Amino acid sequence: MIRVIRNPQEFKQWRREQAGLTVGFVPTMGALHSGHGALLDRCRQENEISVLSIFVNPTQFNDPKDFEKYPTTWDADLKFAEEHNVDVIFYPRFEEMYPDSYHYKVSENEFSKNLCGRNRPGHFDGVLSVVMKLFNIVSPTKAYFGEKDFQQLTLVQGMVRAFFLDLIVVSVPTVRESTGLALSSRNLRLTEEEKLKAPSLFKSLKEAKNASEAASHLTELGFKVDYVTDIRGRRYVAAYLGDVRLIDNVQL
Ligand code: PAF
């Protein structure tokens, strides 16, 4: 039986009781899919204890409508966590995660302002702040992040170094459908027609000669492109199909 803990202090007490054991941690916003499954399996293999958190973090949504529409699938998530042999789910409430009403935050002022940060002001402050809180509560030996959000992964790695946090960040390759589409909780919101178009995101990213060619191709196909950018040896994309924002990246 999985233990579900909602209160941060109760979690910290439980964590103290696990002293000496390796604790792996997979932070998520729920709506779990095989991409999360890959993180959970790796976490299970490499640690004595496997912890999953589910918290749809409002401070990282610059668009309140996007937050409201974010899928919540608790029953399915619990079953999924059981299938992936999770020991404990940390499932906090907003008031307990933000006793300061978000008066304190963690901010990065260079890479976070680029790519997804450009048109989503405050997004990465919200991500880094909640990840810092989660790290302080869970106190993991290793924490697992997917490469699909490579900018997030890079920023979390930077935060761990900058604040001398005592944990290892493990990056896990993106899981894709057979069509190439990267798995994402947001895919649940695509219409049947959009689902047929969505795999072109990865295909254009890989096959275009340069970023602007990929952007033009995606626009022709009906995507509303936020950006396609080559930076630090990777090509990154964010584009909308309808009101669903999809992201991906490939190594150049
Ligand atoms: O990648 C996510 O699901 C979220 O950004 C994270 C890391 C769980 C923080 O809310």
Side-chain angles (χ1 to χ4, degrees), residues 54-143:
I54 298 181
F55 178 62
V56 186
N57 173 39
T59 65
Q60 70 189 73
F61 289 83
N62 57 308
D63 176 358
K65 282 199 221 95
D66 194 24
F67 173 61
E68 278 159 30
K69 285 190 205 145
Y70 203 84
T72 46
T73 54
W74 170 257
D75 292 340
D77 288 352
L78 186 58
K79 190 160 169 280
F80 191 89
E82 267 160 8
E83 284 161 6
H84 290 269
N85 300 310
V86 168
D87 295 305
V88 178
I89 303 179
F90 180 48
Y91 180 46
R93 299 175 190 88
F94 175 78
E95 302 72 37
E96 284 166 314
M97 280 302 274
Y98 287 93
D100 60 327
S101 306
Y102 199 38
H103 293 169
Y104 290 83
K105 60 178 77 163
V106 181
S107 210
E108 192 275 355
N109 62 17
E110 200 260 322
F111 192 40
S112 71
K113 306 296 174 205
N114 206 333
L115 305 175
C116 283
R118 231 187 24 216
N119 288 333
R120 301 185 72 193
H123 168 65
F124 284 115
D125 287 2
V127 170
L128 293 178
S129 301
V130 82
V131 170
M132 179 69 107
K133 285 168 189 275
L134 289 166
F135 283 171
N136 286 330
I137 296 164
V138 175
S139 208
T141 318
K142 291 184 178 177

Side-chain angles (χ1 to χ4, degrees), residues 19-83:
L21 297 178
T22 53
V23 173
F25 176 44
V26 179
T28 78
M29 299 203 295
L32 303 178
H33 52 67
S34 312
H36 298 112
L39 303 178
L40 289 170
D41 291 343
R42 181 90 183 263
C43 177
R44 181 72 279 174
Q45 279 158 23
E46 296 184 353
N47 301 278
E48 286 156 311
I49 294 181
S50 168
V51 174
L52 161 73
S53 69
I54 298 181
F55 178 62
V56 186
N57 173 39
T59 65
Q60 70 189 73
F61 289 83
N62 57 308
D63 176 358
K65 282 199 221 95
D66 194 24
F67 173 61
E68 278 159 30
K69 285 190 205 145
Y70 203 84
T72 46
T73 54
W74 170 257
D75 292 340
D77 288 352
L78 186 58
K79 190 160 169 280
F80 191 89
E82 267 160 8
E83 284 161 6

